[in-house]
């Protein structure tokens, strides 16, 4: 018990969660007869939280696993000869089989969707039939006007219309100024009376 407690204390000190003095106080409680584990004592003293303790334990287990894996790799060389590979048994669990079946089903579904899209594209009307449907009154070979001609037909008269509109606006502004002056003169007469 003391060895595990000292090891936990060392881990918490290495992680800068507790100080050496705090660890000594907690161990002193154990020496005085407290049967609780070191982690429980440190939590009760308010020095650490449960999250601190959990993080320290998880980090320790992760590091131990890495050490074990490294030891196994160094201790046992891998035989990759053809005989060794052929003797290897491959075990599939239910999750692996379900994942493989799901992947295959997804691929098959995507293949059928792609085939349906290809068939739909083949059934689209031709460009000529679309043109004839859109412009039925145009004779075959009708040449659309150039963009400058379209501009002249559609936009050329706009400048004249804009000039007329600006002229009317100026006339109305003059009328508004005259009305404002008339209102001011009426207000003066009213004050003078």
């Amino acid at each position: 018990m003391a060895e595990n407690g000292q090891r936990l204390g060392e881990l918490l000190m290495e992680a800068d969660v507790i100080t050496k003095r705090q660890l000594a106080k907690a161990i002193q409680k154990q020496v005085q007869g407290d049967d609780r584990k070191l982690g429980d004592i440190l939590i009760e003293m308010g020095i650490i939280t449960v999250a601190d303790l959990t993080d320290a334990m998880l980090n320790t287990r992760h590091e131990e696993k890495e050490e074990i894996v490294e030891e196994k790799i160094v201790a046992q060389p891998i035989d990759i000869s053809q005989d060794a590979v052929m003797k290897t048994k491959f075990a599939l669990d239910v999750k692996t089989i379900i994942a493989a079946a799901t992947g295959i089903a997804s691929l098959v579904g995507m293949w059928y969707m792609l085939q349906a899209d290809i068939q739909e594209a083949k059934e689209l009307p031709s460009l000529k039939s679309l043109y004839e449907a859109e412009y039925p009154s145009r004779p075959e070979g009708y040449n659309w006007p150039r963009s400058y001609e379209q501009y002249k037909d559609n936009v050329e008269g706009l400048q004249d219309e804009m000039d007329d509109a600006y002229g009317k606006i100026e006339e109305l502004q003059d009328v508004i100024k005259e009305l404002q002056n008339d209102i001011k003169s009426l207000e003066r007469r009213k004050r003078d009376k």
Side-chain angles (χ1 to χ4, degrees):
M1 182 174 158
E3 183 180 319
N4 288 339
Q6 286 177 342
R7 187 164 180 223
L8 175 65
E10 290 171 7
L11 290 172
L12 291 170
M13 284 193 316
E14 286 177 11
D16 288 331
V17 176
I18 63 172
T19 64
K20 195 171 190 177
R21 180 176 289 187
Q22 292 169 331
L23 176 61
K25 285 181 184 178
I27 291 175
Q28 185 63 32
K29 284 192 173 200
Q30 282 183 330
V31 169
Q32 292 172 354
D34 195 338
D35 291 339
R36 292 180 297 167
K37 294 181 179 179
L38 182 65
D40 293 334
I41 295 172
L42 289 169
I43 290 172
E44 189 247 329
M45 291 173 68
I47 296 172
I48 64 170
T49 64
V50 176
D52 294 333
L53 183 61
T54 306
D55 288 342
M57 296 304 290
L58 288 175
N59 287 339
T60 303
R61 293 185 192 251
H62 181 69
E63 290 170 3
E64 286 175 358
K65 285 180 182 177
E66 285 179 354
E67 289 174 7
I68 291 170
V69 169
E70 288 175 8
E71 287 175 12
K72 284 183 181 179
I73 291 173
V74 172
Q76 298 176 354
I78 298 172
D79 183 15
I80 57 171
S81 66
Q82 185 175 0
D83 292 335
V85 172
M86 295 308 287
K87 289 179 185 177
T88 304
K89 294 181 181 179
F90 295 99
L92 294 176
D93 63 349
V94 176
K95 290 179 184 178
T96 305
I97 293 170
I98 291 172
T102 304
I104 292 170
S106 297
L107 289 173
V108 170
M110 289 188 325
W111 185 79
Y112 278 114
M113 288 175 49
L114 182 60
Q115 292 299 319
D117 289 344
I118 290 170
Q119 186 60 35
E120 185 180 346
K122 287 179 180 177
E123 294 172 2
L124 288 174
S126 68
L127 186 58
K128 184 177 180 182
S129 63
L130 285 174
Y131 178 80
E132 289 171 356
E134 186 72 27
Y135 307 106
S137 63
R138 302 286 186 206
E140 192 167 323
Y142 177 78
N143 189 11
W144 289 96
R146 295 180 310 155
S147 59
Y148 177 72
E149 292 170 356
Q150 288 177 346
Y151 170 78
K152 280 180 66 177
D153 292 342
N154 296 326
V155 181
E156 186 175 40
L158 287 177
Q159 187 61 47
D160 294 335
E161 292 174 12
M162 290 296 293
D163 290 340
D164 291 341
Y166 283 129
K168 288 181 182 177
I169 289 172
E170 288 176 5
E171 290 175 15
L172 292 173
Q173 286 175 341
D174 291 340
V175 170
I176 289 171
K177 285 181 183 176
E178 289 176 11
L179 289 172
Q180 286 174 341
N181 289 337
D182 289 343
I183 290 171
K184 286 180 183 176
S185 65
L186 287 172
E187 287 175 351
R188 284 185 205 141
R189 287 184 192 167
K190 190 175 180 182
R191 279 191 239 150
D192 291 341
K193 287 185 179 182

